[in-house]
Amino acid sequence: MAWEGELRRIDSCRWEIPEGTVPGMLTNAVVYASEDMLSKIREDNAPMQAANVACLPGIVGSSMAMPDIHWGYGFPIGGAAAVDAESGSISPGGIGFDINCGVRLIRTGLTAEDLDGKMDALMDALYANIPSGLGSKGLTRVGHRELEEILAYGSKWAVENGFGIPDDLNATEEGGCMPESDASKVSDKARKRGLAQLGSLGSGNHFLEVDVVDSVFDDTAARCFGLKEGEVTVTVHCGSRGCGHQIATDYLQQMESYVKSVGLALPDRQLACAPLDSKLGDDYYKAMSCGANYAWANRQMITHWVRESFESVMGVSAESMGMKVVYDVAHNIAKKEHHDYDGSGIDVLVHRKGATRAFAAGRSEVPLMYRDVGQPVIIPGDMSVGTYVLKGLPGSMESTFGTACHGAGRVMSRKAAEKAVTAGQIESDMRNRGIVLRRGSDEGLVEEAPVAYKDVDTVVSVVCEAGLAGKVARLRPIGVVKG
């Protein structure tokens, strides 16, 4: 089913779905895209979901869709919406099942030449030390007491237990911990699913990538982020695994019942929500915060094993190499934030689902070391082309409650990808590009084929032209681990 409704041009990279297009809309929806992207966006019918989000009780400003928009659960992936922090509602569909799926960027202090003749050994070590694939389990077993602390403290627990260094926390959104968490709001089933999976990538679009800084566009920001042309970095993309998925499932069921009980008219049952000031809404926010903390602990532990893998191959310590976290960003989360809106300040809850916070210079939430240039924004493309590093700009604060895209975004379903390409073709193409590949299964590889994704150059160009973020550097992959 394709979107046949209106997409009214605002400018070269913004398109409006007017209020009233879908019954119950409380505001308009704005889609960020180039004109060339519109046909595929319409084909996916994700604009319908962006319009539906405009019906969310308490929404402030527009329903927003980034250029990586594609069909999701309730909200489109690439969608964002702010609601009033007092009178608004919270919707698990606006966060996603993989709570705090996000990206962490690590600089290594090495050059590509340092890895000559060692890439196969390095990729073998990374693949062995960091479990990946469907149902993968972490190497470290934690008990119920430790899991309670992980849900409460996130990355802080990991660092305090030897999985990293304090500086890692300074380079992580929220310091790697949502303090509003309350583990008593997380079900036994969610806890059980999380116990065995801590420190693993999982499957789907999750990955670990070894890159080289291929291009620098902003010397000042790149220097501030510690990125130098020719140096090696590592990008980690994963989330809260089964723990977060179960938290979302548990509360969606409760919210669907709530919506029916109060007779709330929503255009899609997948937008099920509850008022923030209700017990159900507050319980979910606290449980979602636990899921976010689990994800940050997960990426923190993976960072530890990335360092150990490099140490085993290079024969020197991670500290002496200069392996440091550049930044860790969440792109499936809801955050309570203060923003300027319509001439005054307002407290809002910003849902970001497949969308990344992109705060400009000066915001107190940006780590002090980056506050003069803006928050690092990490945007992966498909596995064959690598990742962009951007910085948040004032335009995001003015237009999108400090939000930008989160990646290239799918343009083809997983089933369609399976029909379009074979695992052998992908392996051959990666080899020809000089990329060393390690993967869990043929099926998982094909589902995430490069052809299934939008052109990340185009996606990034849109958010930059719109003034939401600015290019800092581009990273070229030389090694990929796929789940």
Side-chain angles (χ1 to χ4, degrees):
M1 180 178 176
W3 170 254
E4 301 294 344
E6 186 171 8
L7 282 171
R8 180 185 299 166
R9 180 190 288 271
I10 299 174
D11 54 32
S12 61
C13 54
R14 292 185 300 162
W15 309 82
E16 181 188 36
I17 302 173
E19 183 178 347
T21 302
V22 169
M25 288 178 73
L26 303 173
T27 183
N28 65 344
V30 176
V31 177
Y32 285 79
S34 66
E35 188 166 9
D36 290 343
M37 300 174 77
L38 289 184
S39 61
K40 283 293 185 182
I41 288 173
R42 282 185 176 277
E43 187 179 305
D44 184 50
N45 200 30
M48 172 63 82
Q49 292 188 312
N52 289 345
V53 170
C55 303
L56 195 65
I59 190 169
V60 176
S62 303
S63 165
M64 299 165 286
M66 297 295 117
D68 48 345
I69 178 177
H70 55 287
W71 188 265
Y73 186 95
F75 273 54
I77 298 168
V83 300
D84 187 278
E86 294 182 358
S87 62
S89 295
I90 185 169
S91 173
I95 292 142
F97 285 92
D98 193 1
I99 295 168
N100 189 8
C101 185
V103 185
R104 175 171 291 213
L105 178 63
I106 307 160
R107 62 179 187 261
T108 69
L110 303 173
T111 65
E113 288 72 24
D114 292 329
L115 296 180
D116 280 350
K118 298 178 179 179
M119 274 301 297
D120 280 318
L122 176 62
M123 297 308 297
D124 287 342
L126 290 168
Y127 189 67
N129 291 338
I130 300 159
S132 59
L134 185 64
S136 54
K137 298 180 179 180
L139 298 177
T140 297
R141 293 290 180 264
V142 296
H144 289 279
R145 182 181 62 81
E146 290 88 354
L147 183 62
E148 190 93 2
E149 295 177 355
I150 290 161
L151 296 175
Y153 302 113
S155 288
K156 293 180 181 180
W157 175 90
V159 169
E160 288 174 0
N161 283 272
F163 298 99
I165 57 177
D167 280 351
D168 295 341
L169 304 179
N170 298 330
T172 303
E173 189 174 330
E174 297 296 332
C177 176
M178 294 275 281
E180 301 93 336
S181 61
D182 182 346
S184 72
K185 309 304 180 183
V186 178
S187 70
D188 289 341
K189 189 172 183 179
R191 292 164 183 259
K192 184 177 180 180
R193 292 185 67 181
L195 274 172
Q197 295 183 328
L198 193 67
S200 61
L201 279 177
S203 59
N205 64 351
H206 297 155
F207 65 82
L208 183 148
E209 199 171 87
V210 180
D211 298 296
V212 174
V213 181
D214 196 48
S215 304
V216 170
F217 308 103
D218 182 330
D219 289 333
T220 300
R223 190 162 48 250
C224 182
F225 296 170
L227 299 175
K228 299 178 182 178
E229 194 165 328
E231 290 201 347
V232 173
T233 61
V234 178
T235 308
V236 177
H237 175 219
C238 61
S240 51
R241 304 297 324 275
C243 179
H245 195 285
Q246 191 61 48
I247 290 170
T249 300
D250 291 340
Y251 281 92
L252 271 166
Q253 292 171 351
Q254 295 180 55
M255 289 189 187
E256 285 181 6
S257 297
Y258 167 80
V259 167
K260 289 180 181 178
S261 70
V262 300
L264 178 61
L266 293 170
D268 183 352
R269 70 174 184 83
Q270 293 180 357
L271 284 176
C273 59
L276 274 166
D277 64 0
S278 69
K279 183 179 186 303
L280 177 56
D282 186 58
D283 284 354
Y284 170 65
Y285 182 72
K286 290 174 178 176
M288 187 264 323
S289 297
C290 289
N293 290 346
Y294 182 101
W296 273 315
N298 191 36
R299 293 197 288 273
Q300 182 61 50
M301 295 176 78
I302 288 172
T303 300
H304 172 74
W305 289 316
V306 167
R307 286 176 169 137
E308 285 196 338
S309 298
F310 271 80
E311 288 175 336
S312 68
V313 172
M314 302 306 297
V316 294
S317 70
E319 182 180 10
S320 65
M321 283 183 272
M323 294 189 72
K324 294 186 177 181
V325 176
V326 176
Y327 201 58
D328 181 302
V329 294
H331 55 230
N332 277 3
I333 202 163
K335 305 281 285 294
K336 292 179 179 178
E337 299 168 357
H338 186 81
H339 286 273
D340 292 328
Y341 174 73
D342 202 20
S344 61
I346 185 171
D347 292 320
V348 291
L349 179 84
V350 185
H351 296 74
R352 296 186 178 98
K353 191 232 188 118
T356 303
R357 197 180 73 176
F359 279 4
R363 284 283 300 212
S364 61
E365 297 92 337
V366 179
L368 187 60
M369 56 193 171
Y370 301 143
R371 203 166 295 167
D372 288 343
V373 298
Q375 178 201 309
V377 180
I378 307 164
I379 311 297
D382 67 67
M383 72 175 84
S384 70
V385 298
T387 296
Y388 273 98
V389 181
L390 314 178
K391 65 177 184 180
L393 292 180
S396 72
M397 313 310 301
E398 297 162 4
S399 304
T400 62
F401 295 95
T403 304
C405 62
H406 86 305
R410 293 192 76 94
V411 73
M412 183 183 293
S413 71
R414 286 175 168 83
K415 286 186 177 179
E418 290 173 0
K419 296 177 182 178
V421 68
T422 67
Q425 289 170 329
I426 297 171
E427 288 180 318
S428 177
D429 179 62
M430 297 284 277
R431 193 180 308 113
N432 291 338
R433 292 172 180 263
I435 301 169
V436 180
L437 176 67
R438 298 289 183 271
R439 77 313 195 285
S441 68
D442 285 357
E443 181 182 7
L445 182 65
V446 170
E447 287 179 349
E448 297 303 313
V451 70
Y453 284 85
K454 297 178 184 179
D455 175 21
V456 71
D457 293 339
T458 302
V459 171
V460 166
S461 292
V462 170
V463 296
C464 291
E465 183 179 347
L468 308 182
K471 292 181 184 178
V472 176
R474 177 163 179 153
L475 317 177
R476 172 177 55 85
I478 56 175
V480 172
V481 174
K482 289 296 293 183

